[in-house]
Structure formats: structure tokens, C-alpha cells
């Protein structure tokens, strides 16, 4: 009996994996494959933190497959060449995969589909990673939505009930397995050696950990989500983002379990619906990337092509990346990112606004740093969010709304818990100055053991001047 190759990229899970399930249902031998093809991904090959995650996740996936009598075949190189070889090596005449929505993923799947069909190989694509497919939701005039609220109003009606299928208990194996490359062939561990330890303390990649985290979130956190989601000093959000990037958890599973939890516990319903709305932003961003594939490179609002971004003062970018700007909430966020590979959403907005508005650095430079350092680096969410903050994206925050890092800190990190955790040199400052050490009287700084300029930097910019400069720069987009 001929085998079926199942491409696991984008759905590194057994639970609710439509391509895998369809292959198993045929009763034919199934060969799960992961191809690491940096060449096709080009600039969007996984960054350092994401590569660390992927290595752990693939090891877990291989283990899960083995528990069901199967294996993960890993290959490194050009996808078309590898598929050509694997079809012969595993006597397969069919390829199943879940749909990709990124420009490079789509191009790759399109080419595969054409070459396979021409060669008489069955090639099937399934919908496994979104709540709604991009073709399922358009405006009354047949155009893609570019504003979130009406998108979400319609999406909620279309999504309706979501059903998630359980993992197959057994996966039919071929009589002989094609060779697999060792996991290490995907490349060395991420470059900064100091990175792996704190990241591995903070995270457990893989499907089992994702499902556990979902359960923990729904049991312990979701009820308070609507209020706590904006407070970076508490564990108030799902932290499912890194598991969603390559589909270690199914978004339909999240939806179905969340709705069940809301029904079982009406007191948690408000929080759970606020959480589901954020999953709506994920679908929205992916749809934007699908309809506007240039989004990672170019502003969606074309008048921003004229925006006079600064790129001369490299030391400002470096201070931002290292968390040494002299603005505590910005520095705490950038250090959380470096140490754990993740940053709280509220703080992502603050640090992004600081880079693009106070420092006038191009949003692409920020997006590219995030791409390398986030364990949840996701092309759609990252590009859409950076453009949203920069004011040049779909349904973006107006450019003139410039986050004040001091007021944001005082509002969302009132007692400074978050700053104290990630900027420990400021820990002894009283609450009144934790977000503005530069305004603290000398005796207060001395009492807290801080010499500004030595233990912690002076602010790298004068915010009043930088705000005026940003608003003047905005005028260029209006010519
Ligand atoms: C400048 C900037 C860059 C960002 N880059 C990324 C990125 O590369 N990858 C990424 O997944 N998210 C990104 N986000 C969105 C958001 O910050 C993260 O999804 C969220 O912080 C992840 O934490 P969580 O899983 O606890 O989120 P929760 O609050 O629990 O939300 C649940 C899920 O909804 C989705 N989600 C939440 N907020 C957003 C949003 N604003 N846009 C799209 N989807 C959202 C995520 O998949 C998230 O896991 C970015 C936001 C900003 C402001």
C-alpha cells in the first residue's frame, strides 16, 4: 500500500491536526515529515529565540509520534528536492499538509501543489491554524477587512461553534522508514549562549505543555483576564503565543475549551470573551498578511513611505535593545524580552512606541529585533502590531498618540513590581520615583543606593523635545 507524506510544518501537534487525521483515516501508512528550509523562508527563517524553541518542540513532537507507533522524519534543505526524494524513498503517492498563510509558505505550497499534481501525486491542503480562512470573511463590497471591530463583529457570527478533533491513538507506520537527519542539522543552538538558560527556565515548548498551559489559564487566570491583561507585573494572560506560532496547539481547541469553560463558569465568561477577542486579532493579522503580503516590508498606509525615519544614531537603537534607555518601563520590557524571549503586550506597545516615536527609528528595525528575540515571533502578528503602533498599519493607532512611558508605567505598574523584577538596580526606589528616577531628589537616590549615570543611565532623550520632533515628522506624511 502506498504511503502518505504529512508535512507537519505549521502544525507541530497531534491533537486537532486535520492533515494528519485525514491521512490516518485512509488506513495507509503515514510518514510525518518536517523540512527545515531556510532558503525558501529567506529573511523570515526563524530568528534565534524561535530556533531554540523549534528545536525543543520538534524533539517533543518526535517523542509524541513514537508513543503512537510513528516517527518524525526531519530533513534539512530545499523543500521541492526533499519531497522529490522522499516520495521515492517512502513509496508515497500523496502529500497532505495544513495551509500556510505567509508569502513564502504560500509560494512553497503552491509550487508543491503544481509539481505534485503534474506528476500524478495527490496533494491536499487542510485548514488547521485559523478560526476563519481568509476567503471566508470579506466586507459587503467583497474586499478584505482593514478595520478590526467590523471584522470581529462578522467573524464571531461566522465562527460559531468550533470543533476540535482528538489526536489519533495510533498512526499507521510504513514497513520501512526513510532516513532522518539529526535534530542538530537544523543548526546550532541560538547564538548568545547566555540566552538559553533563562529561556529554558521560563518555557516548556511542545504540545503537552501547551495543553497544560491552556488548562491552567482557563482554571486560574481567565476569570480575571479582562482587568489583569494590561498589568505586566502579574501572570494575567494566557502566554500561549509561542505555542500558536507553529501550531503546537490548535486555535480551534483553544476556542472550544474556552467556550466550554465560560459555560461551566459564568463568572469567568467576561474574561474568557475578552481573551477570545485577542485570538480574533490573531486571525485578523493573519488575514492582513494574506491579503497584503508586503506588510512585513512596507507600510500599509502608503503616505508613510515619506516618513523621515532616523537611522543615524545607532547608540539609541543599541540602548533600546539592551534596556538602557533610562526609562524604567521601557528597560524592564526590553530586558524581559532578552531574558525570557517574551514580553507583555502592554509593554510591547510602550517599547515600540518609544522606538518609533521618541527615537524615530523605523518600525522595521524594531520588528527585526523582535523577530530575533521573541519565542513567539510570528510574521503576521509582529508586522501588523509594529505597523499598528507606528500608525501606518491597518486600523492603526493614530500616529500623534504617543505613549508616555512614565504615565504608562504609573498606570499599569503602579507599585513598580514589574520594573523591580527586571531592573533590579532600581528595586530600592520608592514607588513615587520608580518610573522616573531622574526626577528623584539626590537624597532619595542615595537612600536607594543609585548613582544615576553609573548604576542606571540618565534618560537618553528629552521626551518633550522628542515628542515635538515626532509630531513635526508626521507632517511629512501629509504633503
Ligand atoms: C510591537 C508588537 C509586536 C508583537 N509581536 C508579536 C509576535 O511576533 N507574535 C505574537 O504572537 N504576538 C505579537 N504581538 C501581540 C501580543 O503582544 C502577543 O500576542 C501577546 O503578548 C502574547 O501573549 P499571550 O499569549 O499571553 O496573549 P493573550 O493576551 O493571552 O492573547 C491570546 C492570544 O491572542 C493572540 N494575540 C494577543 N494579542 C494580539 C495582538 N495584538 N495581535 C495579534 N494577536 C494577538 C496571541 O496569539 C495570543 O497568544 C505583538 C504586539 C506588539 C505591540
Amino acid at each position: 500500500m502506498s504511503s502518505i507524506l504529512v508535512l507537519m510544518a505549521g502544525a507541530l501537534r497531534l491533537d486537532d491536526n486535520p492533515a494528519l487525521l485525514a491521512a490516518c483515516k485512509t488506513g495507509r501508512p503515514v510518514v510525518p515529515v518536517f523540512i527545515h528550509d531556510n532558503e525558501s523562508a529567506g529573511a523570515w527563517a526563524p530568528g534565534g529565540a524561535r530556533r531554540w524553541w523549534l528545536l525543543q518542540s520538534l524533539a517533543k513532537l518526535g517523542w509524541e509520534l513514537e508513543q503512537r507507533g510513528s516517527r518524525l522524519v526531519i530533513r534539512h534543505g530545499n523543500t521541492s528536492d526533499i519531497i522529490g526524494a522522499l516520495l521515492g524513498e517512502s513509496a508515497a503517492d500523496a502529500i497532505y499538509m495544513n495551509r500556510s498563510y505567509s508569502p513564502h509558505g504560500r509560494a512553497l505550497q503552491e509550487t508543491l501543489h503544481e509539481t505534485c499534481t503534474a506528476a500524478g501525486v495527490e496533494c491536499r491542503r487542510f485548514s488547521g491554524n485559523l478560526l476563519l480562512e481568509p476567503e471566508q470573511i470579506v466586507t459587503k463590497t467583497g474586499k478584505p477587512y482593514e478595520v478590526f471591530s467590523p471584522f470581529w463583529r462578522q467573524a464571531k457570527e461566522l465562527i460559531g461553534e468550533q470543533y476540535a478533533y482528538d489526536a489519533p491513538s495510533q498512526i499507521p507506520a510504513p514497513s520501512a522508514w526513510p532516513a532522518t537527519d539529526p535534530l542538530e542539522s537544523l543548526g546550532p543552538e541560538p547564538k548568545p549562549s547566555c540566552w538559553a538558560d533563562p529561556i529554558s527556565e521560563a518555557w516548556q515548548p511542545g504540545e503537552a505543555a501547551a495543553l497544560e498551559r491552556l488548562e491552567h489559564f482557563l482554571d486560574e487566570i481567565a476569570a480575571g483576564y479582562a482587568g489583569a491583561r494590561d498589568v505586566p507585573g502579574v501572570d494575567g494572560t494566557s502566554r500561549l503565543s509561542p505555542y500558536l506560532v507553529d501550531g503546537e496547539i490548535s486555535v480551534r481547541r483553544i476556542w472550544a475549551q474556552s467556550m466550554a469553560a465560560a459555560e461551566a463558569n459564568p463568572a469567568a465568561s467576561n474574561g474568557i470573551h475578552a481573551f477570545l477577542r485577542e485570538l480574533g486579532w490573531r486571525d485578523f493579522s493573519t488575514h492582513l498578511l494574506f491579503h497584503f503580503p508586503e506588510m512585513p516590508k512596507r507600510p500599509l498606509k502608503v503616505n508613510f513611505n515619506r516618513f523621515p525615519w532616523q537611522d543615524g544614531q545607532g547608540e539609541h537603537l543599541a540602548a533600546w535593545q539592551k534596556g538602557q534607555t533610562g526609562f524604567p518601563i521601557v528597560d524592564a520590557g526590553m530586558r524581559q524580552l532578552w531574558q525570557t524571549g517574551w514580553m507583555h503586550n502592554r509593554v510591547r506597545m510602550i517599547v515600540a512606541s518609544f522606538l518609533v516615536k521618541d527615537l524615530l527609528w523605523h518600525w522595521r528595525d524594531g520588528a527585526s529585533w523582535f523577530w530575533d528575540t521573541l519565542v513567539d515571533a510570528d510574521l503576521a502578528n509582529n508586522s501588523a502590531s509594529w505597523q499598528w503602533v507606528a500608525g501606518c498599519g491597518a486600523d492603526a493607532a493614530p500616529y500623534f498618540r504617543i505613549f508616555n512611558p512614565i504615565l504608562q508605567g504609573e498606570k499599569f505598574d503602579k507599585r513598580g513590581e514589574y520594573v523591580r523584577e527586571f531592573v533590579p538596580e532600581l528595586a530600592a526606589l520608592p514607588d513615587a520615583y520608580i518610573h522616573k528616577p531622574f526626577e528623584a531628589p539626590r537624597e532619595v537616590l542615595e537612600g536607594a543606593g543609585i548613582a544615576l549615570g553609573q548604576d542606571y543611565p540618565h534618560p537618553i532623550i528629552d521626551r518633550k523635545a522628542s515628542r515635538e520632533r515626532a509630531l513635526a515628522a508626521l507632517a511629512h506624511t501629509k504633503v
Side-chain angles (χ1 to χ4, degrees):
M1 215 180 338
S2 58
S3 314
I4 301 175
L5 301 183
V6 176
L7 305 190
M8 301 297 285
L12 301 179
R13 63 175 187 268
L14 308 190
D15 179 58
D16 194 42
N17 183 332
L20 180 66
L21 209 62
C24 290
K25 275 193 183 152
T26 65
R28 288 153 60 189
V30 172
V31 180
V33 179
F34 180 84
I35 301 171
H36 189 66
D37 182 354
N38 268 350
E39 200 184 297
S40 303
W44 308 120
R50 193 63 213 154
R51 212 166 60 242
W52 172 83
W53 186 283
L54 203 53
L55 286 171
Q56 320 296 316
S57 182
L58 290 172
K60 301 263 169 65
L61 179 64
W63 186 87
E64 295 283 355
L65 284 164
E66 280 166 27
Q67 304 315 298
R68 288 161 174 85
S70 186
R71 285 186 196 174
L72 180 64
V73 173
I74 294 177
R75 292 286 173 95
H76 184 240
N78 177 277
T79 302
S80 299
D81 295 348
I82 290 170
I83 293 290
L86 277 175
L87 284 169
E89 287 171 43
S90 46
D93 63 2
I95 306 183
Y96 291 4
M97 64 196 88
N98 292 302
R99 232 181 133 182
S100 168
Y101 306 92
S102 67
H104 57 277
R106 282 168 68 190
L108 203 64
Q109 292 192 340
E110 216 39 64
T111 310
L112 268 184
H113 194 265
E114 277 166 26
T115 48
C116 287
T117 312
V121 172
E122 184 197 9
C123 183
R124 292 182 64 189
R125 280 171 285 185
F126 296 81
S127 309
N129 287 321
L130 291 176
L131 295 164
L132 289 174
E133 294 304 300
E135 299 81 2
Q136 278 179 278
I137 175 165
V138 285
T139 62
K140 281 192 186 118
T141 55
K143 298 226 169 82
Y145 277 101
E146 292 184 56
V147 178
F148 178 73
S149 298
F151 166 87
W152 187 232
R153 257 195 310 276
Q154 203 197 336
K156 274 190 299 188
E157 282 177 22
L158 293 172
I159 291 168
E161 254 184 61
Q162 291 280 308
Y163 191 79
Y165 292 90
D166 288 342
S169 51
Q170 278 296 309
I171 300 173
S175 51
W177 283 96
T180 179
D181 290 343
L183 205 50
E184 298 71 54
S185 69
L186 303 191
E189 282 273 317
K191 35 184 185 179
S193 56
C194 61
W195 217 357
D197 280 352
I199 286 194
S200 57
E201 280 160 27
W203 298 102
Q204 275 288 336
E207 175 173 8
L211 291 167
E212 254 173 52
R213 178 69 198 177
L214 172 63
E215 205 177 309
H216 172 74
F217 172 71
L218 291 174
D219 289 349
E220 309 287 339
I221 300 174
Y225 177 85
R229 64 177 292 264
D230 265 324
V231 184
V234 303
D235 184 12
T237 66
S238 73
R239 301 200 184 208
L240 285 171
S241 51
Y243 301 103
L244 278 160
V245 175
D246 282 311
E248 285 155 84
I249 191 163
S250 147
V251 68
R252 293 192 296 235
R253 171 70 65 202
I254 300 179
W255 185 278
Q257 275 192 214
S258 300
M259 292 303 266
E263 209 173 303
N265 178 11
S269 177
N270 190 29
I272 289 177
H273 281 94
F275 163 69
L276 294 178
R277 190 169 193 273
E278 295 309 307
L279 286 181
W281 273 100
R282 175 179 176 270
D283 258 42
F284 181 61
S285 302
T286 308
H287 290 197
L288 286 175
L289 181 62
F290 181 88
H291 293 295
F292 306 101
E294 293 293 308
M295 184 171 75
K297 294 189 210 138
R298 289 194 237 298
L300 293 178
K301 289 193 178 126
V302 289
N303 53 333
F304 269 79
N305 280 320
R306 294 191 292 266
F307 194 88
W309 299 108
Q310 286 266 326
D311 59 2
Q313 293 179 300
E315 73 273 13
H316 277 178
L317 181 66
W320 177 80
Q321 291 171 335
K322 288 187 206 143
Q324 294 287 347
T325 67
F327 292 90
I329 192 87
V330 174
D331 294 340
M334 297 309 291
R335 295 185 201 184
Q336 180 181 33
L337 173 61
W338 185 250
Q339 286 166 30
T340 70
W342 185 86
M343 193 196 300
H344 189 277
N345 180 60
R346 167 61 46 184
V347 192
R348 290 187 205 204
M349 293 194 283
I350 299 170
V351 303
S353 170
F354 188 80
L355 185 75
V356 297
K357 296 180 180 173
D358 287 296
L359 303 182
L360 281 192
W361 270 83
H362 202 296
W363 57 269
R364 275 199 312 257
D365 293 307
S368 133
W369 180 252
F370 271 29
W371 186 255
D372 198 36
T373 51
L374 275 173
V375 286
D376 66 20
D378 173 271
L379 195 55
N381 285 358
N382 199 37
S383 332
S385 300
W386 273 95
Q387 290 219 29
W388 183 88
V389 176
C392 57
D395 197 14
Y399 182 87
F400 57 80
R401 217 177 275 157
I402 301 175
F403 277 110
N404 178 328
I406 302 153
L407 297 182
Q408 287 282 313
E410 288 173 347
K411 183 164 180 197
F412 296 108
D413 186 36
K414 275 197 184 71
R415 308 292 315 274
E417 282 108 337
Y418 180 72
V419 162
R420 288 191 173 86
E421 180 178 353
F422 290 103
V423 190
E425 62 269 37
L426 299 181
L429 266 184
D431 294 356
Y433 296 106
I434 190 77
H435 292 290
K436 45 185 179 195
F438 39 87
E439 285 185 13
R442 201 153 50 102
E443 60 279 11
V444 171
L445 287 172
E446 277 170 11
I450 300 162
L452 276 189
Q454 285 174 36
D455 305 308
Y456 184 71
H458 290 290
I460 59 170
I461 44 148
D462 169 353
R463 274 220 72 250
K464 194 163 173 285
S466 70
R467 192 185 139 75
E468 279 160 19
R469 193 177 59 150
L471 292 175
L474 179 65
H476 288 254
T477 64
K478 293 183 176 151
V479 181

